[in-house]
Amino acid sequence: MSARRAVPALLGAVVLATSLLDAPPAAAQTRDFHLDCSAAWPGTGAPDSPWQRLDQANGFTFLPGDRLLLRRGTECAGVLSPRGSGAPGRPVQLGAYGEGGKPHIAGGGARAAVHLRNVQYWEIRDIRVSNFGPPPGPEERRAGIYVTLTDFGVGHHYVVADVEVHDVNGSDHKDPDPSGGILFGALGALRPTRFQDIVIERNRVSRVDRTGIGTISHWARRAEHPNGPGSSFAPIRDLVVRDNAITDVGGDGIVPQNTLGALVERNRVHQFNMRSAGWNAGIWPWNSDDTLIQFNEVSGGFGTRDSMAFDFDGGSRNVLYQYNYSHDNDGGALLVCNDKDMVNDGGVFRHNISQHDGHPDVAVISIGCARATNVRIHHNTFFTGRDTRLVANYTDTQIVAANNVFARAGGSSMIQDSHGRYQANAYFNMPVPERDGRAVTADPQLLNPGSASGLLDLGGYRLRAGSPALRAGEPVPGAGNRDFFGNPMPSVPNIGAYQGPGELAD
């Protein structure tokens, strides 16, 4: 066949294949569409004729069960913003095919490199995303992956897993529409809108400004947050953020906002508040109830605005931090900071370990801002070699602190709190609060404090045989059924995060 005759034949095949792809699929049919930005010409999306450009995928409407697959080892410049939704049990999937590294979408400074708008039942896996552009203007928000619903109602089922997001240089904005790595936003002003069922897991987020992973909502007004945006409260439900690694973020690490029953577990946040002029923490919820934050490691918070690993903040009820490890944060381990005219009630911080947190200007535990209520801090070990206070209370919030080890190595420290209630704590190298009639003042004999190198290397915070902290605590309601190390809680507890028997040094 001559070249002149081949061209019309090829064009005819393209038209036929395109018409077949646009045709309604048979029931329960799975269709795969391929995108290869290194291809020689724009194809049809078929395996042997992949799309060449992002706008080809953006112009297509995906149906339940469809898969959009990007070729590994390739880079696409621009924005991926596909249309169409999946259905229960048949989500639309964005993923990879072929061999090599994860396919890369480089946004180049757009609002988002991957932007899903008013769609549901989507799963994103095995891609790499960046969004680096010229220095952003003061209002120029950017994101790596941004999922938004605007006046949509309820959007169901979203998964972002095994994705790399890096180099997003957005403006330093937190609310109401932030910059960041992986973000979900419930927007609009006409119809209450929220997400149902979000799973964000096993992702790597690095060098992003300003939030690593977060949710935001324009539907946040309720009694606990009376000045919140929107006309009503539409909480995000069934949010899970787990097994993610977040490093070098300009502001906050992980922030579930406007959620009910969120689970944040087994994440690693390292180096946060690196470039922001605002106030930031490692992991903390806002205007959220019944949040469980556990088995996380948070470190390297930079500066004192506020650079705390964890935070009880405004508009939230019944937030539980347990089995977490914080270390080397300038701002300390825990902030209690309700906002004006908001409610912060029922926060519990238990079975956590803090190593070398704090700063001369910021305590390991700081209590400030507006008054919070019913905050309980128990069965934790706080150990620092930094020149810092262990507790500083700047407001009338009355915490209850029981069965904690407060220890300073190589110097002296203090508990600066005239409002809190202290019960059966151990204090080493610091004065004892007058109100603690069951205080242990001798060396608690931690096995090897200060030696931890990670969340799985905290054996140095067990107690030696003969420790005065063994069985010296008081029973605390709601103490849980296990300690940091997996030991069952005894009827008469130890002081600190370790509840097993005394151990001999190696």
Side-chain angles (χ1 to χ4, degrees), residues 160-416:
V160 181
D162 302 303
V163 166
E164 296 178 24
V165 179
H166 61 92
D167 296 296
V168 179
N169 62 331
S171 59
D172 186 19
H173 278 86
K174 180 182 295 189
D175 298 315
D177 298 309
S179 295
I182 301 173
L183 303 173
F184 283 75
L187 313 178
L190 301 177
R191 183 184 181 188
T193 295
R194 66 177 180 86
F195 294 92
Q196 178 90 38
D197 181 18
I198 301 173
V199 176
I200 304 171
E201 62 183 357
R202 299 187 306 274
N203 304 290
R204 300 179 65 86
V205 179
S206 61
R207 299 184 302 280
V208 302
D209 294 322
R210 62 173 314 282
T211 300
I213 295 174
T215 63
I216 61 103
S217 177
H218 291 184
W219 299 94
R221 181 167 296 188
R222 59 175 179 154
E224 290 81 356
H225 188 11
N227 298 317
S231 57
S232 63
F233 182 56
I236 297 167
R237 298 172 183 263
D238 299 327
L239 169 68
V240 177
V241 183
R242 63 187 172 209
D243 297 317
N244 301 284
I246 301 169
T247 59
D248 191 8
V249 290
D252 295 302
I254 299 174
V255 188
Q257 291 194 41
N258 227 67
T259 63
L260 180 62
L263 172 63
V264 182
E265 65 179 0
R266 302 193 304 267
N267 301 283
R268 175 76 167 96
V269 177
H270 178 59
Q271 295 179 331
F272 60 94
N273 200 28
M274 301 301 291
R275 290 170 291 278
S276 175
W279 299 79
N280 303 282
I283 302 176
W284 63 285
W286 170 266
N287 198 33
S288 296
D289 292 351
D290 304 323
T291 310
L292 176 57
I293 300 172
Q294 62 182 4
F295 304 111
N296 302 284
E297 180 178 349
V298 179
S299 64
F302 176 74
T304 57
R305 301 180 320 272
D306 44 64
S307 296
M308 295 285 181
F310 308 110
D311 178 14
F312 291 120
D313 218 305
S316 297
R317 292 184 181 273
N318 305 324
V319 176
L320 172 59
Y321 291 97
Q322 62 180 7
Y323 314 123
N324 300 289
Y325 170 49
S326 66
H327 62 98
D328 302 290
N329 296 291
D330 287 346
L334 177 64
L335 175 66
V336 181
C337 183
N338 190 22
D339 208 15
K340 183 180 179 181
D341 299 324
M342 297 179 71
V343 169
N344 182 329
D345 182 75
V348 175
F349 194 82
R350 69 185 188 188
H351 307 301
N352 304 286
I353 294 175
S354 164
Q355 174 178 287
H356 297 325
D357 288 323
H359 184 278
D361 297 328
V362 182
V364 175
I365 301 173
S366 290
I367 307 161
C369 315
R371 187 170 187 265
T373 53
N374 299 315
V375 178
R376 292 169 290 159
I377 301 172
H378 57 88
H379 296 103
N380 306 286
T381 297
F382 302 98
F383 175 86
T384 186
R386 295 188 175 193
D387 179 14
T388 185
R389 293 159 292 175
L390 265 294
V391 181
N393 190 344
Y394 305 99
T395 185
D396 61 349
T397 293
Q398 185 184 71
I399 67 167
V400 176
N403 302 334
N404 303 288
V405 171
F406 296 106
R408 167 74 195 277
S412 62
S413 186
M414 67 176 64
I415 305 288
Q416 186 180 21

Side-chain angles (χ1 to χ4, degrees), residues 408-445:
R408 167 74 195 277
S412 62
S413 186
M414 67 176 64
I415 305 288
Q416 186 180 21
D417 181 6
S418 59
H419 296 283
R421 294 168 50 202
Y422 290 79
Q423 305 167 197
N425 299 286
Y427 308 90
F428 185 58
N429 287 337
M430 71 194 69
V432 176
E434 295 180 0
R435 299 175 301 282
D436 193 342
R438 292 278 309 276
V440 169
T441 59
D443 182 348
Q445 297 183 38

